[in-house]
Every structure is written in structure tokens, then in C-alpha cells.
Amino acid sequence: MRRGLLLSAYAAASHRHWANGVECWLDDIDWTRLELPPRHFAWRIRGNPLTWMLREGETLGQEYDVILATSMVDLATLIGLYPHLGRAHKVVYFHENQFAYPLAEGQRSSGEPLMVNLYTALAADTLVFNSAYNRDSFIDGARTFLKRLPENLPAAAPLEALRDRARVLPVPIEAGTSRSPEGGDIIVWNHRWEYDKNPETFFGALFGLAERGVDFRLAVMGQRFRDCPAIFDQARERLGERLVCWGPQSSEAYRRWLDEGALVVSTTDHEFQGLAIMEAVHHGCVPLVPDRLCFPEFYEERFRYRDDRELETRLEAWLTSPASRPSPPDSEAWTWPALLPAYRDLLRLS
């Protein structure tokens, strides 16, 4: 059996979901998994090789046939510290890229995360992106970044070489039979409670619907952090009677509310795949997503809105006239059974 090293330097929920699936579905590789918790971002993305060297030196000193790392891993430094790892087939998975990651208000841009992404890409044999938008924003962002450097480096050729080594392969969702849409009035929010998900626009649309007397119920789930946008407190106060759940849920409760849900909405300013939306669609929710970022790759025009006004108008129409709603997209193409052959080919298992 071939030996694999699975590295995740910032193991957020979607990264753990992906890594769990890799171990489960690609079980003809004997995986050794190293991951670090998703906190202290600035240190984590720059310091992960040192952390692993001090904690996992014996593990890193072993031989592996394949290395599968997330883009948060400083792979170039890790290979410099353990040169024998360079002999493995090295695949880097980009759940996101730092060149297209929006800054919070008052946050200053730093070149460190950008350089880690770039060096890791250059050190890999194969790059994998969860969407074409992710791939293209990485290549284009790296080109813009390098043009700002004082040496005026000739970046076009190496960046296009990276594009040639890149593949697009989404993070799969769990297999299972999705339910048929049954109408209903529950709107689902199942995203992180953070600024980049743009909750102000989401709740603003719901405030408008409520003021006009449109009937709906609301399931607000997703990962909550110590500091979250103030709009969530406002929404709980103004929409309290319409809430069916509020805050993080157990896995069982989360799936149950997705089964109960009618519509799932994204208003995000940043998305490279939108795993939460895909999960809700697989449970039968009808998606309504922005006509930008990665969404045009996955959803037909009837599921996309162009601006805040169209978001609110479409929601009102779908709530007041359920027969006008389209059926959810076919989600089977996003599951592990459907994507497994491509993952096997990626890791040279075919």
C-alpha cells in the first residue's frame, strides 16, 4: 500500500470535512494526517513548518509516496527542512487563495500569506482548485502582486506554467439521497458568522420582507465566533418570532433543519466554492446566490441574482408563490461517488 502524508495547516471546518473524506474514500493509501487548529492565522500560515518540525519531526522524517497539502501549508519551507519529502508526488489543494481574500475593515494587507501561497504552488507537482474562479483569481492576483515588487520580475511565464499544472476539482459533499422540494417557507443561513459573508445584506433583505408582511421562517445556523457582526443581534431582536433555530447546531440537528428548509441564500463577498450552499441544495433547498465569484460555475442563471433589489424581489416571489420556484439543481455530481475517479487520478491511483 502506498503511503501518503495529508497536511492541513489551518484546519477550519471545510478543510476537516475535505480531509475526512480523503481518508475515507481514498483508503487504498495509508494516510498519515497532520493538521493544526484554525487560530492565530498570521502565525499559523507562516509558522506551520516550524511547529511541525518541533512536534512531528519523526513523522516528517519518514518516506512517503504522495503528499497532499492544503494551500495554507508552507510546502517549500517544509521540503527545505526535510529534502527527502521532495521525492514524493506533491499535490496542493486550494480551498481558497490569499490573493482574492477580502480584508476586514481596518485590516492591513500583508505579503506574507500571499508569498506562502505562491511558494507552495511553485513547490507542487500538481495544483488543485475547488473552482475555476479560485484558480483564475490566484493566477491573476499573483501576477498583479509581482508587478508591484521593485525588481519588475518577469512573472508571466512561471505563472502560466502554474496554470498548466492546475486542475479544478470541488470539495465533494457527502453521498446520500437528496429529498424532493416540498415548498415550505423556511429560509436557511448556514454560513460562518463573519464580515466576509455579508450578513448585513442578507438580513436587510429579510427586514424588508418582514415590513411588507411576507410570511417566512428563518433557520440561522453556521459557525459562530467570539466576535461577530452586530447585525446578528439586531436580526435576533427584529425577527425573533420567525426564528426556528439560532446558532451552531449538532450534526443531526443541522441536517434536520436542512431537510426542513425551503430556500438557502448567500450574500457573500467572498466564496471559492460555497460548500454550505451545496449541502443545503443536496437536502432539497432551492439556492439563491450572487451572480459573481464562483457561483456562475455551479448554478444556472435562474438561481442567481444581480443586486440587492433583485435578491429581495426574488425572495418575495418565491415565498408568496411557491409554484414559481425552480427545482433545486442536481447535486449528485458534487458527491464523493461522482468525484472519486478524478481524485484517484489526481493521486495516481487509477
Side-chain angles (χ1 to χ4, degrees), residues 9 15 41 59 64 70 75-76 81 114 134 153 157-158 163 167 174 211 217 226 230 233 238 253 257 269 287 297 346:
H15 295 214
F41 173 81
T59 299
Y64 298 94
T70 68
L75 185 62
L81 293 170
L114 309 182
N134 191 0
L153 298 173
R163 192 191 300 272
R167 296 179 59 178
E174 293 300 323
E211 289 170 0
R217 291 177 292 164
R226 181 178 301 175
D233 290 334
R238 294 180 62 174
W257 283 119
D269 291 328
E297 298 176 50
L346 180 72

Side-chain angles (χ1 to χ4, degrees), residues 197-206 231 266-267 269 292 305 307-308 311-312:
K197 298 303 182 183
N198 189 16
E200 288 81 8
T201 292
F202 173 74
F203 288 118
L206 298 192
I231 190 66
S266 173
T267 52
D269 291 328
R292 50 188 168 81
Y305 63 89
D307 52 34
D308 296 356
L311 164 66
E312 195 168 327

Side-chain angles (χ1 to χ4, degrees), residues 179-188 217-219 221 244-245 252-264 280 283-286 325:
R179 68 176 172 90
S180 300
E182 300 171 355
D185 65 349
I186 295 179
I187 300 172
V188 171
R217 291 177 292 164
L218 179 61
M221 303 184 284
V244 296
C245 71
E252 181 180 353
Y254 175 72
R255 290 191 293 269
R256 184 174 68 249
W257 283 119
L258 291 185
D259 283 335
E260 294 287 332
L263 310 174
V264 61
H283 283 258
C285 296
V286 178
R325 301 175 196 169

Side-chain angles (χ1 to χ4, degrees), residues 199-240:
E200 288 81 8
T201 292
F202 173 74
F203 288 118
L206 298 192
F207 295 159
L209 295 177
E211 289 170 0
R212 292 197 298 279
V214 177
D215 290 330
F216 65 87
R217 291 177 292 164
L218 179 61
V220 179
M221 303 184 284
Q223 189 176 10
R224 182 175 184 174
F225 301 89
R226 181 178 301 175
D227 297 320
C228 67
I231 190 66
F232 282 94
D233 290 334
Q234 300 170 28
R236 190 171 192 179
E237 181 177 349
R238 294 180 62 174
L239 301 173

Side-chain angles (χ1 to χ4, degrees), residues 45-50 53 60 73-83 85 115-116 119-120 123:
I45 195 169
R46 194 65 187 92
N48 57 83
L50 181 60
M53 183 184 75
L60 293 172
V73 175
D74 188 347
L75 185 62
T77 296
L78 205 60
I79 292 173
L81 293 170
Y82 297 91
L85 295 179
M115 293 305 297
V116 169
Y119 283 141
T120 293

Side-chain angles (χ1 to χ4, degrees), residues 57-318:
E58 184 176 347
T59 299
L60 293 172
Q62 298 177 28
E63 297 284 343
Y64 298 94
D65 300 296
V66 60
I67 296 174
L68 179 57
T70 68
S71 59
M72 299 289 196
V73 175
D74 188 347
L75 185 62
T77 296
L78 205 60
I79 292 173
L81 293 170
Y82 297 91
H84 70 280
L85 295 179
R87 295 193 292 268
H89 178 55
K90 301 172 292 298
V91 180
V92 172
Y93 194 91
F94 281 76
H95 294 264
E96 64 281 296
N97 77 78
Q98 296 304 307
F99 294 97
Y101 214 96
L103 296 175
E105 185 176 351
Q107 186 179 5
R108 297 180 62 183
S109 177
S110 169
E112 290 279 351
L114 309 182
M115 293 305 297
V116 169
N117 265 191
L118 185 53
Y119 283 141
T120 293
L122 291 167
D125 297 307
T126 303
L127 314 180
V128 191
F129 295 85
N130 55 2
S131 65
Y133 165 75
N134 191 0
R135 177 199 62 203
D136 295 343
S137 61
F138 170 76
I139 299 292
D140 295 342
R143 180 181 291 108
T144 299
F145 174 72
L146 291 175
K147 284 181 179 178
R148 298 203 309 263
L149 297 182
E151 287 86 356
N152 191 25
L153 298 173
L159 291 178
E160 287 308 311
L162 289 181
R163 192 191 300 272
D164 292 339
R165 299 210 303 272
R167 296 179 59 178
V168 174
L169 195 56
V171 173
I173 59 177
E174 293 300 323
T177 303
S178 58
R179 68 176 172 90
S180 300
E182 300 171 355
D185 65 349
I186 295 179
I187 300 172
V188 171
W189 166 283
N190 59 339
H191 315 286
R192 287 184 287 105
W193 293 25
E194 291 191 289
Y195 72 93
D196 60 299
K197 298 303 182 183
N198 189 16
E200 288 81 8
T201 292
F202 173 74
F203 288 118
L206 298 192
F207 295 159
L209 295 177
E211 289 170 0
R212 292 197 298 279
V214 177
D215 290 330
F216 65 87
R217 291 177 292 164
L218 179 61
V220 179
M221 303 184 284
Q223 189 176 10
R224 182 175 184 174
F225 301 89
R226 181 178 301 175
D227 297 320
C228 67
I231 190 66
F232 282 94
D233 290 334
Q234 300 170 28
R236 190 171 192 179
E237 181 177 349
R238 294 180 62 174
L239 301 173
E241 293 183 354
R242 299 170 183 266
L243 291 170
V244 296
C245 71
W246 182 264
Q249 306 290 308
S250 67
S251 296
E252 181 180 353
Y254 175 72
R255 290 191 293 269
R256 184 174 68 249
W257 283 119
L258 291 185
D259 283 335
E260 294 287 332
L263 310 174
V264 61
V265 178
S266 173
T267 52
T268 188
D269 291 328
H270 141 249
E271 198 71 81
F272 295 104
Q273 176 178 338
L275 192 61
I277 294 287
M278 287 182 167
E279 289 176 339
V281 169
H282 198 55
H283 283 258
C285 296
V286 178
L288 189 55
V289 297
D291 189 20
R292 50 188 168 81
L293 305 172
C294 64
F295 293 113
E297 298 176 50
F298 298 111
Y299 302 97
E300 297 176 19
E301 185 176 358
R302 56 186 171 162
F303 300 112
R304 309 195 306 263
Y305 63 89
R306 291 165 293 185
D307 52 34
D308 296 356
R309 181 183 180 88
E310 187 177 2
L311 164 66
E312 195 168 327
T313 300
R314 192 86 66 85
L315 279 175
E316 183 168 356
W318 286 0

